[in-house]
Structures are given as C-alpha cells and as structure tokens.
Amino acid sequence: MKTTKETKQAPVKPVAKKVAKKAAKKATATTGKTTGVAKKATATIKKATAASKKAAPAKTVAKKAAPAKTVAKKAAPAQAAPKKAIVESHAALVRRARRINRELAEVYPYAHPELDFENPFQLVIATVLSAQTTDLRVNQTTPGLFAKYPTPEDLAAANPEEVEEILRPTGFFRAKTKSVIGLSKALVDDFGGEVPGRLEDLVKLPGVGRKTAFVVLGNAFGRPGITVDTHFGRLVRRWQWTDETDPDKVEAAVGALFPKSEWTMLSHHVIFHGRRICHARKPACGACPIAPLCPAYGEGETDPEKARKLLKYEKGGFPGQRLNPPQSYLDAGGIPAPPLGAG
C-alpha cells in the first residue's frame, strides 16, 4: 500500500517545481516593473532638481534687485513736507495779508515793472513779448525793435521776416511777430494809433489778456490792477491767501483782501519777492523778512548763511533785469542789466 501511495504522490514534485518557476518569473517581471518605475521616478527627480537649479538664478536676481526698493525708500524723505494749514477768520487773513504787503514795501521800496518802456505802446509790446521768456531777454531785444519801428504805424507796416529776425532771441518769435504786428494794426485801425486805457478795449488786441492789460493799465495809465503771473500765483498760495489756481479767480480772491488803490504796487512787491527770495524750487526761507508770517516757512533753506547764497538780483549783488532801471533802484544798490551780447 505504501508503494502505491508513493507512486501516486511522486508526480506532485515536478508540478510544484513548475509552479515555483512560474511564481519566480512573475516575481522577476514584477521586480523589473518596479525597477522601471523606480528608474522613472529617479529620472523625474533628476529633472526636478535640474529645473530647480535653473530657477535658482531667478531667486538670486530677485535678491539682487531688492536693493532698488531700499534705494527708493531712502529717497522718499526728499519729498516736501505737507504745508501746515492756518485756521483763521477772514478778518485775520486780511490783517495778515496786509501786514505782509507792508513788510514787503519796506524791503522793496523801489519795486517797479521790470520791463523797459518809455510809453504805453512800448509797454504793451514788451509785455506781449515777455510770454515764455524772461524780462531780461525782452529788455535786451526791444531796443533794436523800437529803434526800427518806433510807432504802431511803423510796426503795422513791417516786413514779418525782418521782425522775426529781431525777435528770435525771445523764443516763439514767429507767433510773437504775428501778435505784435496784428496788435499794431489793430491800434492803427481801431484806436487811431493810440493804446486804449480801458480793460475791455485792451483785451481785444491780439496777444493781450487780462495780465498784460493790468500791467499796461497800472504802469502806463496809473489805473490799479493786479498782475497774476507765475510768481504772484505761487506766492499767494504759499501764504494761503487763496488756494485758487485760475488767474482770474486768484485776482478776485486777492483783490478782495486789499484796497483797490494798493493793487498795482502789491503786484510789484509780490513779484519782486518771488524773483529774489521766495523761489519756486528752493526758497531762501532763512533770509526771508516775512518768515514769521509765512505758513510755508521751512519749505526751503532755513540756515541764514546758506539762504543768503540763494538771493538774486540786487539782494544777491547781481545785475537786475532792466537795462534802464529807475533811479530809486540804482540808489538802493541795484545794477543795470547788460545789453544783448555783452556777456
């Protein structure tokens, strides 16, 4: 019986071997697949590492760029500090404004229009030419113009090309030539060759606006007017007389603070101060005679010694803008301007 059982059970061993072989093959295949996956994972990791290395310089660049922000932060303090607003009644504003004007009258007793002229015609022409240039350049140019064309009739009949050549130093000479010739023709045709003494007539002339009209009325006819140029507008806003920026509104607001009889000299005082001490970019606060009354004190140089170096024209010992200034200006130490081409 034992022999029979052994005979029957003997074939089992080869089957087990076959099964074992199949299992081994499957395990090998599985191991191969696992190895392939592992290789793929390794390759992915390598790619990711390479990518991160490539991205690294970008971080470095970003770090290098960072100091630019730091520089910007350091530059921030250069901005002007906000103005301190004055809370005052209208009556208090009137008192302060008039006191400033009285102080300026003592500092500039010789204040005057800084355009050379001998008659209303020369003044209106010079004022038109002063747009977009300095009074000095106009004063250096008009002697040649008036020597050749002394009257409205002469300038009205002038050859435009010849006038352009004379006016070239003032800039925008073609437009200015058109204005002064047109203005002269209007004077001849509509006003008998005379400059009118009324605001409503003056503003009808080519190139003449309210500012030019008030310069002519105040200085050629003795009729009060406020001249709102860039200096005047800048200073009255600094002093908080008004916050208006439109010239007509500035004129109305400031005019309400003063008697009409003071308007012309007020304009001269403010403009003189703006040109000599209260500059646009760097006012000489430390040398300003009205500093205690100024809400903008501190916007400019407050050190007295440094501030004095910023003074211009007669206040700084330099020539003025007029070639032929009034005697009162010369008596106060003023120096005439040099003629064109003199250096």
Side-chain angles (χ1 to χ4, degrees):
M1 292 296 292
K2 288 181 182 178
T3 307
T4 305
K5 286 180 181 178
E6 289 173 0
T7 305
K8 288 180 179 179
Q9 290 175 354
V12 175
K13 290 180 180 179
V15 173
K17 288 182 180 178
K18 289 180 180 179
V19 172
K21 286 182 180 180
K22 287 182 180 180
K25 286 181 180 179
K26 286 182 180 180
T28 303
T30 302
T31 303
K33 288 180 180 179
T34 303
T35 304
V37 171
K39 288 181 178 179
K40 287 181 180 178
T42 302
T44 303
I45 291 170
K46 287 182 178 179
K47 287 181 181 179
T49 303
S52 66
K53 287 181 179 178
K54 288 181 180 178
K59 291 182 180 178
T60 305
V61 172
K63 287 181 180 178
K64 288 181 179 178
K69 292 182 180 179
T70 305
V71 172
K73 287 181 180 177
K74 288 181 180 178
Q79 295 178 353
K83 295 180 182 179
K84 55 181 180 180
I86 289 182
V87 179
E88 60 187 348
S89 65
H90 179 73
L93 171 60
V94 170
R95 286 194 298 270
R96 184 168 63 87
R98 293 185 181 184
R99 185 178 171 188
I100 287 176
N101 188 39
R102 289 195 300 272
E103 296 282 348
L104 293 179
E106 292 183 8
V107 177
Y108 309 107
Y110 46 80
H112 57 273
E114 294 192 272
L115 290 169
D116 284 325
F117 69 98
E118 295 177 358
N119 54 56
F121 172 63
Q122 290 187 0
L123 180 57
V124 71
I125 293 296
T127 308
V128 169
L129 295 178
S130 68
Q132 305 299 319
T133 191
T134 63
D135 288 354
L136 170 62
R137 183 61 71 193
V138 174
N139 292 334
Q140 291 174 328
T141 303
T142 50
L145 179 70
F146 296 139
K148 192 167 186 178
Y149 311 105
T151 68
E153 289 81 3
D154 295 324
L155 192 51
N159 181 334
E161 292 183 358
E162 294 179 0
V163 176
E164 285 179 2
E165 194 58 34
I166 295 174
L167 300 184
R168 185 181 292 272
T170 67
F172 302 97
F173 57 92
R174 292 190 178 88
K176 290 180 179 180
T177 295
K178 185 177 179 181
S179 291
V180 298
I181 290 179
L183 186 158
S184 299
K185 288 180 178 178
L187 290 178
V188 172
D189 296 341
D190 301 332
F191 300 100
E194 299 291 333
V195 176
R198 299 194 311 164
L199 175 65
E200 54 268 36
D201 293 329
L202 284 168
V203 295
K204 293 177 183 177
L205 298 172
V208 176
R210 288 180 68 87
K211 184 190 84 169
T212 298
F214 280 128
V215 170
V216 175
L217 290 173
N219 298 287
F221 294 99
R223 296 177 183 173
I226 292 178
T227 303
V228 183
D229 69 352
T230 55
H231 302 287
F232 191 95
R234 182 181 73 253
L235 266 61
V236 299
R237 284 188 289 273
R238 272 185 179 166
W239 297 336
Q240 295 182 21
W241 291 3
T242 180
D243 58 1
E244 298 290 353
T245 55
D246 179 77
D248 292 349
K249 292 181 179 179
V250 171
E251 175 196 323
V254 175
L257 303 176
F258 296 88
K260 190 172 182 179
S261 59
E262 296 182 11
W263 285 359
T264 300
M265 287 310 299
L266 168 69
S267 301
H268 292 325
H269 295 154
V270 175
I271 293 170
F272 254 61
H273 192 61
R275 286 175 170 172
R276 286 150 177 79
I277 297 177
C278 196
H279 313 305
R281 294 185 179 179
K282 199 171 183 180
C285 295
C288 180
I290 60 166
L293 301 171
C294 181
Y297 175 79
E299 286 188 8
E301 181 57 65
T302 56
D303 180 84
E305 289 297 325
K306 293 179 180 178
R308 275 193 285 273
K309 294 178 181 179
L310 300 174
L311 303 183
K312 294 183 178 179
Y313 304 117
E314 77 284 353
K315 293 301 181 185
F318 303 106
Q321 299 206 75
R322 290 187 65 166
L323 278 66
N324 298 296
Q327 187 60 45
S328 59
Y329 181 75
L330 298 175
D331 292 342
I335 305 171
L340 187 66

